[in-house]
Each structure stands twice: as C-alpha cells, then as structure tokens.
Amino acid sequence: MLDKNGIAKRIAKEIKDGFYVNLGIGIPTLVANYIPDTMDVVLQSENGLLGMGPFPIEGEEDAYTINAGKQTITMLPGSAIFDSAMSFGMIRAQKVNLTILGAMEVSENGDIASWKIPGKMVKGMGGAMDLVASAKNIIVAMQHVNKAGESKLLSKCTLPLTGVNCVKKIVTELAVMDVLPEGGFKLLERAPGVSVEEIKNATMGKLIIEGEILEMVI
Amino acid sequence: MNKVVSGADEAIRDIEDGMTLMLGGFGLCGLPEKCIAALVKKGVKELTCISNNAGVDDFGIGLMLRQRQVKKMVSSYVGENAEFERQLLSGELEVELIPQGTLATRCMAAGYGMPAIFTPAGVGTEVAEGKEVRNFNGKDYLMEMAFDADFAIVKAWKGDTQGNLIYRHTARNFNPVMAMAGKITIAEVEELVEVGELDPDNIHTPGIYVHRIFEGKNYEKRIENRTVQPHPNPPR
C-alpha cells in the first residue's frame, strides 16, 4: 500500500519532459518533490504564476509569493506572473499539458466530485471546475476509500459534480487505473503488497481486469 | 487627472448600504486591507461582495462578515473561514460559489465591454442550472454574464497620481481584472509616485480604469500558510 508520498511519487512518473503542469492542493502538491531534476517541467499555479519553485528557505518567505494553496513558495528563473483571467485563459486554451488534482469521488465514466458535501461542508470549487472542463489530461490523486470505509470509485457520483467525463487516470494507495472512454476503471498496476482482490473489494464502480496485473515499480 | 484622495475613508466615502463591491486579492495576498478596515469602521451593510475568497476569521473580508455587513458573497473558494462556513450553512449569508476562472473572466468581460462570455467550466454541474448552454465545435459552454459592480477595490504595489498601477508577484491575481470592472475603481498602493516615474512599458493597469488612489501605511502582509524549508546552514 502506498502512503501519500508514494502516490505522489507514482504520479510523477506520468510527467514528461517539456510539460506545463498544474498541481492541485494536497497530495498533488507533493508530486513536485518527485519530478527528476533532469526534466524540464514548468509548474503552473492558477493564482497567476508559471515557474513555481520549492518552498523558501526559512526567513526568506515573501507574503507576495504564494501558490494556489496560499503556501509561500519561490519563483524559479524564467518565471512569469500574470493575472487570474490570463491564468484561466491558458488553462481553457489547453496550454497546460497535465492537471493533477484530488477528489472525493470519481465515477466510472470519468465524472469527478470534489467541492461540496451538501449540508456539511462547502469549501467551493476554486479553480477545479475550470481545470477539469478544459484540461486534456487529468490525473486524480486520492485515497481509494473514504474515512467511513466507503469506496470513492463509483458507478455514479453521489456528491455534487465538479466536472463530467473528464478524469483520465486515477492513482490511489492501492492501484493505478485508467478511466476508459467507453466507461470503467481499467486496472493497470497494483501498489506494493496489494492484491487484485483487495482492489476489487475497494472499488464500487466497474473494474476492468485483463491479464496479469503487475505490481507497480516506484 | 490627479486622482489622489487622502486615504481609505475618503476613498470609500460614498459606498452605501446594499451596493455591490469587487475586492481584489487571492487568499490574504494582495487584499485591499486599508479599504476593508475603513468599510468595517463605516459599518455599511447589506453588501454584495465579489471576491475570490472570504478572508480568514480575523483578516480580510472575514472582518466584514463578523460584523454582518455582507448580505451576499460571490466567491470561488471559502475554505479557510469558520465564521463564513457557519453563516453559510445556517442560511444567514447568501453565497454564490462560481468557478475561479469564470469569476476572473466575468470581471475581465466587464472591463473589456463585453456582456457575456462562454466557458466550459461547470457544464453538467449545479453551476449550470438556469444558464444558457451553447455548443461550439462539438463542445458545450455556459453563457456567463459580465459582472456589474458599483465599486472595485484593489491593492497594488506602486501607483502614480493618474492611477497607473503595478502589482508585485502573485499579489497581482484578481486585482487587474477587477480594477477594470468597477463603475468606480479605488486603488490602494504601498507606494504612490508622481506621474512619469513609472515605466509605461511596465504598467499592469492603465490609469483610465482607476478613479481614486491613495497610499496606505504599514501593510501587514499577513501570510496565510507559511511553508518553508530549513536553512541549509542554520546560524549558531
């Protein structure tokens, strides 16, 4: 089974040289730690920055240099600052190659719910609705089951949607799956020490298993 | 074209109960904190506030929420404010949550003189309820209307007496698009300079969009989420 860093490390393998990438809040933020130095990857932060760097050295933090999670960050050489309209302009125009974000639920047709639990929790969608509506390639990083032990991979989402038919790949603590265009979670890899049976039991939606499912290499 | 006012109190003097305000900033970064303090002092009520976030409990728009000055919030993300969430869940506060890009682009449309925009954000979700859907090249888009705000209040790093503005780092965020969108736009700046001192090639908001400007003192520059890495050679 993977911990949060393990999920981030596995997702980092999906990033290719030359990519512009938007990382969401939570596990996706950790992905930045596992992008190889040899790769030329530019991180976009939707509050208006391309070229996001690591957290600042203690004492060098700047209230004016933050990411979309409101964390203090640094700007790498070659960074560019822009306003919020342009930020979502480049997202809508599909200039960003890959979007990685968290979710509360994903359905087998690629719908995602991530912003609201009616009557209980309302944080808002932030930039997630814009990102999922436009991104060419969307990977969801999340736990396979929620705190109540219920599967988050469903035939149909029960919570208010963030976007429809948009998630392409999911990485959880148990598995890596593709969401097929015709519907269904296609099991690609097992997390270390996790059996196909365990993944089946944790998945409510349609899980497609073809041939031998290898343990992931991270 | 001198647009300089004495300070926040004069800048907001004619903001009245029931008006619609745009407030720049992302989280606590680039917030017009002097004007917010003046609005809290003035006690205007029944406001509709368009702002990406709702501040935190004791800073930013959170201060206005605490005093029940806000009738309606139009925001994209309100996660860090317990009082906000309480007022929302209890029904005391009307809230319209909209996608962040839609929020920014509805401001932009107002500043560009366009009545509406089309965006795919929110198609197939509850955000789409009651909105016109148009299909372009096989993909569905929602028609979203330009905002109509009585005042836009923004914070810039530097400005000149004609209202030309320059922002610093990610404190730019919503400020330039909101500056363009208000019927009256108020800019508070950390450094107010004479005309001619700013490089025309580096102006982010042309002064034509700005009606009032003043220099604020002692900006708190509060950090919402301080994340650092340890110093490689810590001083002994």
Side-chain angles (χ1 to χ4, degrees), chain A residues 55-56 58 61-66 69-72 81 83-84 88 92 116 122-126 130 133, chain B residues 53 76-78 97 99-102 105 120-121 126 139 155 168-170 173-174 190 221 225-229:
Chain A
F55 296 145
E58 204 172 349
E61 61 272 26
D62 176 350
Y64 292 157
T65 314
I66 65 168
K70 288 110 180 174
Q71 295 172 308
T72 45
I81 296 278
D83 65 55
S84 298
F88 285 94
R92 229 179 273 120
K116 183 180 182 182
V122 185
K123 292 198 183 300
M125 63 291 280
D130 308 271
Chain B
N53 311 94
S76 85
Y77 188 84
V78 293
L97 287 169
Q100 196 172 124
T102 302
T105 314
E126 63 181 56
K139 184 168 175 168
K155 153 86 196 307
R168 187 167 176 271
H169 297 186
T170 56
N173 56 61
F174 281 84
E190 283 175 54
K221 298 179 191 175
N225 202 345
R226 184 182 302 274
T227 44
V228 294
Q229 46 180 322

Side-chain angles (χ1 to χ4, degrees), chain B residues 6-192:
Chain B
S6 59
D9 292 331
E10 190 190 344
I12 63 135
R13 63 189 181 270
D14 46 359
I15 294 183
E16 291 163 8
D17 291 358
M19 283 186 165
T20 297
L21 314 181
M22 282 178 175
L23 296 138
F26 185 99
L28 306 182
C29 182
L31 269 183
E33 60 181 75
K34 303 302 169 195
C35 284
I36 290 172
L39 287 165
V40 169
K41 194 171 80 177
K42 191 176 181 193
V44 278
K45 292 193 169 58
E46 299 286 303
L47 299 171
T48 295
C49 292
I50 301 166
S51 191
N52 188 52
N53 311 94
V56 292
D57 285 326
D58 63 344
F59 199 67
I61 298 173
L63 297 168
M64 291 160 70
L65 289 167
R66 207 158 62 177
Q67 286 211 61
R68 309 287 174 88
Q69 292 176 271
V70 184
K71 180 184 71 176
K72 180 178 177 183
M73 276 302 308
V74 180
S75 302
S76 85
Y77 188 84
V78 293
E80 334 299 338
N81 188 318
E83 175 61 14
F84 181 99
E85 203 163 349
R86 192 196 65 72
Q87 288 186 24
L88 167 61
L89 292 172
S90 71
E92 291 163 59
L93 179 70
E94 197 185 330
V95 178
E96 187 183 347
L97 287 169
I98 60 178
Q100 196 172 124
T102 302
L103 180 68
T105 314
R106 287 175 68 188
C107 295
M108 191 198 81
Y112 276 46
M114 301 186 297
I117 56 143
F118 290 93
T119 175
V123 168
T125 75
E126 63 181 56
V127 165
E129 285 169 19
K131 287 176 187 158
E132 184 179 334
V133 178
R134 287 274 291 272
N135 189 286
F136 296 96
N137 305 319
K139 184 168 175 168
D140 283 341
Y141 294 79
L142 298 183
M143 185 167 79
E144 296 276 7
M145 307 307 287
F147 281 121
D148 182 17
D150 298 300
F151 282 84
I153 307 176
V154 303
K155 153 86 196 307
W157 181 40
K158 289 181 180 177
D160 69 20
T161 56
Q162 281 193 8
N164 293 306
L165 303 177
I166 294 175
Y167 309 91
R168 187 167 176 271
H169 297 186
T170 56
R172 188 181 315 187
N173 56 61
F174 281 84
N175 285 301
V177 284
M178 288 187 170
M180 296 165 65
K183 284 196 193 75
I184 297 175
T185 292
I186 298 168
E188 54 174 88
V189 300
E190 283 175 54
E191 192 183 344
L192 182 63

Side-chain angles (χ1 to χ4, degrees), chain A residues 133-155:
Chain A
S134 294
K136 276 177 286 190
N137 194 2
I138 299 170
I139 301 178
V140 163
M142 67 174 189
Q143 302 297 319
H144 215 100
V145 295
N146 65 19
K147 281 176 190 146
E150 300 154 343
S151 179
K152 296 169 71 172
L153 289 92
L154 308 171
S155 51

